[in-house]
Amino acid sequence: MTRNLANPKMGEAPVAKGFVDRHCHPLFAAREMAALSLSHCNSLQDIQHALTQHLAHYPEIQWLDATPFDRSISEEFAASVLDEVSADIPITLHSTDHHALWVNTAALKKAGLLESVPKLSDGIIQTDASGA
């Protein structure tokens, strides 16, 4: 415990040491610079619109990588939402905190994750009620 010197009437308050994890991800930064930016998107509809416009502008694209999507705009980031944009072209979206990846069914198929979802020792793969 320590005494609050700025306001002695406040009495004692606990003091806790803090830890700040300072690190960088140069590969994430490089990928982000090359990917479609979603930083202006504030809804699932905004994201779908940005992806649709990008695909219309680049019809020869074989894989669409975009970042960052804000995980706070929705509770559920289902593959079906991205499938509405494209069922054939793999789409991968990286979250603002770089700890989540949102993909469509074409990307799941390309990664071999349609038949079974692997068990992870650290992290989760979100599935729907049917396990897909």
Side-chain angles (χ1 to χ4, degrees):
M1 299 297 243
T2 186
R3 179 118 347 256
N4 185 334
L5 299 176
N7 187 352
K9 292 181 180 179
M10 292 293 291
E12 293 185 355
V15 175
K17 292 182 179 182
F19 174 73
V20 177
D21 180 15
R22 302 274 184 203
H23 68 280
C24 66
H25 298 274
L27 293 177
F28 289 157
R31 186 202 65 237
E32 228 172 83
M33 293 299 296
L36 169 66
S37 176
L38 300 175
S39 59
H40 64 285
C41 297
N42 297 313
S43 68
L44 295 178
Q45 293 77 21
D46 288 349
I47 290 172
Q48 286 178 312
H49 180 73
L51 297 172
T52 300
Q53 294 292 15
H54 190 77
L55 288 173
H57 194 261
Y58 298 100
E60 74 287 348
I61 201 167
Q62 295 181 19
W63 190 295
L64 176 51
D65 192 40
T67 188
F69 77 90
D70 182 356
R71 292 170 65 184
S72 69
I73 65 173
S74 178
E75 289 294 313
E76 184 176 335
F77 294 97
S80 60
V81 174
L82 299 179
D83 290 346
E84 291 176 23
V85 174
S86 178
D88 303 319
I89 297 169
I91 299 174
T92 53
L93 307 184
H94 305 266
S95 66
T96 52
D97 63 3
H98 302 290
H99 291 274
L101 186 64
W102 178 20
V103 300
N104 68 345
T105 302
L108 289 171
K109 182 177 180 181
K110 194 79 147 169
L113 295 173
L114 282 182
E115 292 75 33
S116 66
V117 177
K119 301 290 185 222
L120 302 177
S121 62
D122 189 19
I124 61 169
I125 296 177
Q126 292 180 328
T127 60
D128 63 17
S130 71

